[in-house]
Structure formats: structure tokens, C-alpha cells
Amino acid sequence: MSLSRRNFLVATTGAAMAPASSLLGFETTKQARDTEKDASIVSGSRIVDIHVHFDDKKANYIDEFLKVSDRLNLTALMLTPFANRKVVAEAARRNPKQIIPFGFVDLDASDVVQQVEELHNLGYRGLGELEFVKKPYNDPSYLPVYELADRYGWIVLFHTGIVLRQKFDEPEDVASGRMRPIHLEEIARRFPRITVLGAHCGNPEYEWAAEIARWNSNVFFDLSGSTLTKMHGRLSDFKRIFWWSGQPQDSKTPGNDTSAFVKIVFGSDTDLAGIEGVMGQYHAMFEACDVPERTRKMIMGGTLSKLLGLPD
Ligand SMILES: [Zn+2]
């Protein structure tokens, strides 16, 4: 429902600027870097994009996605409206390395628990993007959904921070304050088997998002949305937000990585044509913040590959 707005943002802010050849970040030597510079595809490890919205308005969406997936060696957490659950479950069965089905449910629906059980039976691996909630994420009425997700050991992607306005001339029961990153802390602590992913790093509450990720091994954030565009000229600010690199760690990290940036994961939240542009934005942030190669690899797919048990 919000795709057109997302696309608008990406299309009008120059996000699609870097070619794939400049996005690598997976090389270990300078020589490798030079060799790869002209490659037309991203080589090396699999990229996992945690934020790909299934678009039910495009009849060929799955085929189009698979082409992008082949070209970029990219696996998607495909965020799927409940109504489209069967199409995407079937596509995931046929393409298990490329499509990981995630169910987008309305936490306020009276039958949400049954919906989640059905998604589990269909082979879904998690939920998301949860958003547009009527109450804060930690409201007790939502706990039965989290209890189920915890039992399944699922990954759950939550929208965090500022949210678009869909209607300008009618009342709308939508408020960003219900989706603040601080609410994810309680969910992560009460349900330690859930991996909590926060979209948009709490925009603009980046510090809260980062600190919650620092103290909770099961919390990660993506930098999709307008953040990397807004911060374009000051990307090194992220070093002050993710400040604890090399410090004694307050929680376990994937691969015991000591870079604070390992709490970030790659998510594009754009249409298929825009994914490479967002990869370019991540790459620019990596360069501005001197993110180590090893950590870049974790961000771009290593962390999720391990969580999902994907092949390289
Ligand atoms: Zn979102």
C-alpha cells in the first residue's frame, strides 16, 4: 500500500546512483578489489534483503524478482499480505534459495492468531512488515502473536519510526509513536527466541534503536527508507550512533563480530529496480564509517543466511 510512496522517495532522491560494480565490499585484498571493480554483477556471498514487499499489482512480480535475484545473487524475505499467502508460499517452495516467505498480518485483526498459525502451516518463516498498528507494539493484546512467533523461533520485522500518511483529506488512525523502536526492547526480552528486526532504524530515533540492538542479541535494524538519503552528506555520523566497535560487548553478536555495525542488516524497501541503488547507499555508508569487510559481509547477508540456514 505504501510502495508508490517509497518508490517516489527513492526515485526522486538519487538513490539509484551506484552501479553494482561499486557495491562489492566483499573483497579481502586490494587486488581482489581492483579485479572486481568492473564486474557487472555482485560476486561473492549471497545478499539477503530483509525488506522486499510482494507487489500484488504486478502480475509477473515473482518472475521479475527471480531475474533480479539471479543477477544480484540475492535472497529476499518476501513480505506478503495475508491475501497473497498461497502464491508466495508456492513460489518459495519452487525457489527456496531465493524467496523466504514472510507474512504481513494486521496485528489488530480479530483472527490474527489463526492467520499466523496458517502461515506457519504454509511454510512461512516469519512475520512482517508489521505496521499501522492501532496500539503500541508492546500492547498486551498483541502478546499471543509474539508467543506463537517465539514458539516457532521466527524472525519478525517491525516498521519503526516515522510513517507515511496515506490520506490527507480524511481522518486516519495511524501514529508513528506506536511504532517507536523502544517498544521492540520489551518484545525482544520477553520473547528471546524471536529475532526482532526493526525497519528504518527507528527514523529519526537512531540512538534508541542502536542502544536497544547493543543490549539485545536478538535485535537488528535495517537502514531502508529515507535515512540514507537524508544522511547522505553526513554518513560518518553513524559512527557516533553505532559507537561501541572494539569495546567489550554487552551482548552476543553474529560470529562474535566486535564492530557495532554488525547490528545492521540489509533491507531495501523499494521496487525491484531500486534494490541496487539502495545497495549503493549502504556501500557509501560502509566507506564513510570504515566498516570492516567482514562486517559488511554479515550486514549484506551473512547474519540472515545463518539465521535462516541458507546455503552460500
Ligand atoms: Zn516500514
Side-chain angles (χ1 to χ4, degrees):
M1 67 205 74
S2 44
L3 276 172
S4 58
R5 176 105 176 149
R6 290 184 178 108
N7 295 348
F8 172 80
L9 279 170
V10 170
T12 53
T13 50
M17 61 211 161
S21 53
S22 67
L23 309 173
L24 296 171
F26 300 128
E27 315 85 341
T28 49
T29 66
K30 185 172 181 308
Q31 191 190 12
R33 204 154 41 235
D34 292 340
T35 314
E36 295 285 354
K37 219 170 249 171
D38 297 314
S40 59
I41 57 165
V42 172
S43 63
S45 305
R46 173 175 303 280
I47 292 167
V48 180
D49 186 339
I50 69 152
H51 205 138
V52 177
H53 289 275
F54 174 77
D55 186 352
D56 60 354
K57 286 177 199 68
K58 292 213 166 71
N60 295 330
Y61 183 80
I62 296 289
D63 290 340
E64 294 299 313
F65 167 74
L66 290 171
K67 279 185 216 155
V68 172
S69 164
D70 285 339
R71 189 161 56 83
L72 301 177
N73 191 23
L74 178 140
T75 297
L77 272 55
M78 195 162 281
L79 312 174
T80 308
F82 188 72
N84 306 111
R85 63 197 176 280
K86 289 185 181 152
V87 177
V88 173
E90 182 51 33
R93 249 192 299 280
R94 287 204 198 123
N95 306 280
K97 280 195 223 168
Q98 291 165 286
I99 298 175
I100 313 293
F102 268 59
F104 165 49
V105 294
D106 174 1
L107 280 179
D108 296 287
S110 56
D111 62 343
V112 64
V113 168
Q114 290 93 299
Q115 289 186 18
V116 171
E117 285 168 340
E118 186 180 337
L119 290 168
H120 183 254
N121 292 337
L122 283 168
Y124 275 68
R125 306 286 303 273
L127 297 175
E129 179 186 14
L130 303 181
E131 57 187 341
F132 297 118
V133 277
K134 298 284 181 276
K135 290 161 277 188
Y137 283 138
N138 61 342
D139 190 88
S141 65
Y142 300 148
L143 297 189
V145 171
Y146 305 144
E147 276 160 16
L148 262 186
D150 190 62
R151 195 188 310 158
Y152 300 151
W154 265 2
I155 299 168
V156 182
L157 173 66
F158 294 84
H159 172 94
T160 62
I162 191 72
V163 76
L164 59 86
R165 181 162 168 184
Q166 289 175 300
K167 301 167 192 162
F168 292 89
D169 46 6
E170 293 170 48
E172 213 182 41
D173 186 6
V174 175
S176 308
R178 303 168 188 162
M179 299 181 277
R180 296 179 68 182
I182 194 170
H183 301 314
L184 302 191
E185 179 192 48
E186 183 179 348
I187 297 164
R189 290 185 187 211
R190 290 178 78 149
F191 303 100
R193 294 190 66 236
I194 298 179
T195 300
V196 174
L197 304 180
H200 322 303
C201 204
N203 179 17
E205 294 185 320
Y206 308 118
E207 291 200 77
W208 266 112
E211 294 297 329
I212 289 162
R214 180 165 73 91
W215 276 105
N216 295 281
S217 55
N218 56 334
V219 175
F220 300 86
F221 286 91
D222 82 25
L223 292 174
S224 66
S226 55
T227 289
L228 290 173
T229 303
K230 172 173 61 177
M231 307 277 280
H232 177 66
R234 49 186 170 106
L235 288 170
S236 60
D237 283 6
F238 282 106
K239 273 202 273 194
R240 290 195 281 124
I241 298 163
F242 290 85
W243 59 268
W244 60 94
S245 296
Q247 304 279 326
Q249 291 174 49
D250 291 316
S251 67
K252 211 175 156 349
T253 58
N256 290 317
D257 197 313
T258 56
S259 168
F261 286 91
V262 79
K263 301 306 303 198
I264 294 174
V265 289
F266 177 64
S268 65
D269 191 21
T270 180
D271 61 4
L272 296 174
I275 293 176
E276 270 185 282
V278 181
M279 288 164 63
Q281 291 188 309
Y282 266 70
H283 182 75
M285 187 278 285
F286 295 161
E287 293 289 303
C289 297
D290 304 312
V291 178
E293 296 290 337
R294 174 176 187 256
T295 311
R296 298 181 187 202
K297 204 167 158 178
M298 299 303 282
I299 294 169
M300 295 305 292
T303 297
L304 264 295
S305 285
K306 191 137 195 257
L307 280 168
L308 293 162
L310 296 177
D312 281 338

